[in-house]
Amino acid sequence: MAESTVADKAAGAGEAADRATGSGTAADRAGGTPPESAWRSRGTDRRSTHTLRLRTSAALVAVTVLAVLLVPPLVQLDQQAVDLAAKLQPPSWAHPFGTDDVGRDLLLRCVYGLRVSLLVGLAAALTATVIGTAVGATAGALGGWPDRLVMRLVDTVSSVPHLLLGIFIVAMFRPGVWPVVVSVALTHWLSTARIVRAEVLSLRSRPYIDAAVSGGASRWRVTVRHLLPGVLPQAALAAVLMVPHAMWHESALSFLGLGLPTHTASLGTLVQSARGSLLAGQWWPTLFPGLFLIVPTLAIAGLAGAWRERINPRRRSELML
């Protein structure tokens, strides 16, 4: 009789635990969603969101590239043409984005400004990536005191705010495109150097590197033939992620009057020249250049994020769960 009572109590405790943890029988789970189905549904929702974000970013980048390449040759208008009789007109069919304070078509000016900002961003990102890859690969391949010396130099430069250092560099030159490219490149190679160095240190422990060294390969040959090809995907991803950052820095320098000349159409100079109009109540000279800066940078960052998930299997597996 006592054994029967103990067995009944154990069975009751097991049923209570099953109900608490959701691991009971099929009849107990009939009224709810099975854990496996809920997990699978959550993973499907994440994949759908990821695919939608990727397609949206790709479409925005494609529209940006087509606008930069096709609008200037197809629209036979001078973006510098002044028409004081049509100044500060609101958006209309004749001028979809309105006109600026001297009557120039704002849509055409924004396209030309995006063209210049993209050029500066691409050139600065490529230059910074080359510098950062060379420094990081050299430090990681040499190791020892050269590695420590180079990384302390990187830490020292990183302690100075990027914008402040960029202002100091660009102030030594006359306003123009290439001083801005040099300024942005010399302040943005540090993160690439850290990434490449970490990847080189990881690759140095691989068996095929040990085999190459045991076979008599020199340090230079191992670096060029084995280490650099291994870090190129990470370096290319860093370059893509740097393009939006470089565009924002160019816009900030131009907005402060230290970047491109005021007569050159860039997104920073357009926003800078529209400050007075914004205070007077004309919102369109500031809104549309700002959108031309925000939307492409978010699209490029979205594509770079998808690329990062693809080359990082662990992060990709976590995304698909």
Side-chain angles (χ1 to χ4, degrees):
M1 186 69 178
E3 295 177 354
S4 175
T5 304
V6 172
D8 292 341
K9 290 182 178 180
E15 292 176 359
D18 289 341
R19 287 193 297 270
T21 60
S23 58
T25 62
D28 295 334
R29 298 196 304 266
T33 304
E36 295 83 1
S37 300
W39 188 267
R40 208 176 299 117
S41 175
R42 191 179 301 114
T44 303
D45 293 341
R46 289 182 179 179
R47 284 193 294 269
S48 301
T49 303
H50 171 71
T51 303
L52 178 61
R53 185 173 68 248
L54 177 60
R55 291 178 178 176
T56 303
S57 299
L60 290 175
V61 170
V63 170
T64 300
V65 173
L66 290 177
V68 168
L69 294 179
L70 298 181
V71 169
L74 292 179
V75 179
Q76 299 298 323
L77 294 175
D78 183 9
Q79 55 104 9
Q80 296 284 8
V82 175
D83 185 6
L84 295 178
K87 68 176 184 178
L88 292 176
Q89 289 186 355
S92 61
W93 286 109
H95 303 285
F97 286 3
T99 59
D100 62 5
D101 54 350
V102 291
R104 294 173 294 193
D105 185 77
L106 199 56
L107 173 58
L108 198 59
R109 295 275 293 171
C110 287
V111 172
Y112 274 92
L114 179 60
R115 196 177 189 179
V116 173
S117 296
L118 274 177
L119 171 64
V120 173
L122 289 172
L126 290 176
T127 306
T129 301
V130 171
I131 298 173
T133 302
V135 173
T138 302
L142 292 178
W145 68 265
D147 180 25
R148 293 192 295 271
L149 179 63
V150 170
M151 297 317 296
R152 295 298 77 76
L153 174 63
V154 170
D155 293 339
T156 302
V157 179
S158 298
S159 64
V160 182
H162 286 176
L163 185 58
L164 182 61
L165 184 58
I167 291 174
F168 174 76
I169 294 173
V170 79
M172 295 188 297
F173 303 94
R174 300 179 63 181
V177 172
W178 294 112
V180 176
V181 171
V182 172
S183 172
V184 175
L186 292 181
T187 55
H188 288 75
W189 59 271
L190 308 168
S191 59
T192 304
R194 287 196 178 98
I195 293 171
V196 170
R197 173 185 174 269
E199 193 69 17
V200 168
L201 293 178
S202 175
L203 292 175
R204 285 178 57 181
S205 62
R206 303 291 175 85
Y208 69 91
I209 300 296
D210 295 336
V213 174
S214 301
S218 63
R219 191 187 297 269
W220 171 257
R221 182 176 179 84
V222 170
T223 302
V224 174
R225 293 293 300 273
H226 301 289
L227 296 181
L228 281 180
V231 303
L232 283 181
Q234 296 290 344
L237 176 59
V240 175
L241 285 171
M242 205 180 300
V243 171
H245 202 61
M247 292 176 61
W248 279 93
H249 268 260
E250 178 275 322
S251 299
L253 292 173
S254 298
F255 180 80
L256 295 174
L258 298 171
L260 302 180
T262 55
H263 65 273
T264 302
S266 76
L267 298 178
T269 57
L270 291 179
V271 175
Q272 193 272 342
S273 62
R275 288 183 302 173
S277 302
L278 182 63
L279 295 176
Q282 288 85 16
W283 48 269
W284 55 92
T286 305
L287 174 64
F288 292 114
L291 290 177
F292 266 67
L293 178 62
I294 294 172
V295 173
T297 55
L298 290 178
I300 296 173
L303 286 181
W307 186 5
R308 178 174 54 192
E309 292 159 3
R310 180 172 295 275
I311 67 176
N312 191 337
R314 180 179 178 182
R315 180 176 176 86
R316 188 183 181 191
S317 64
E318 291 173 354
L319 178 71
M320 296 305 177
L321 289 179

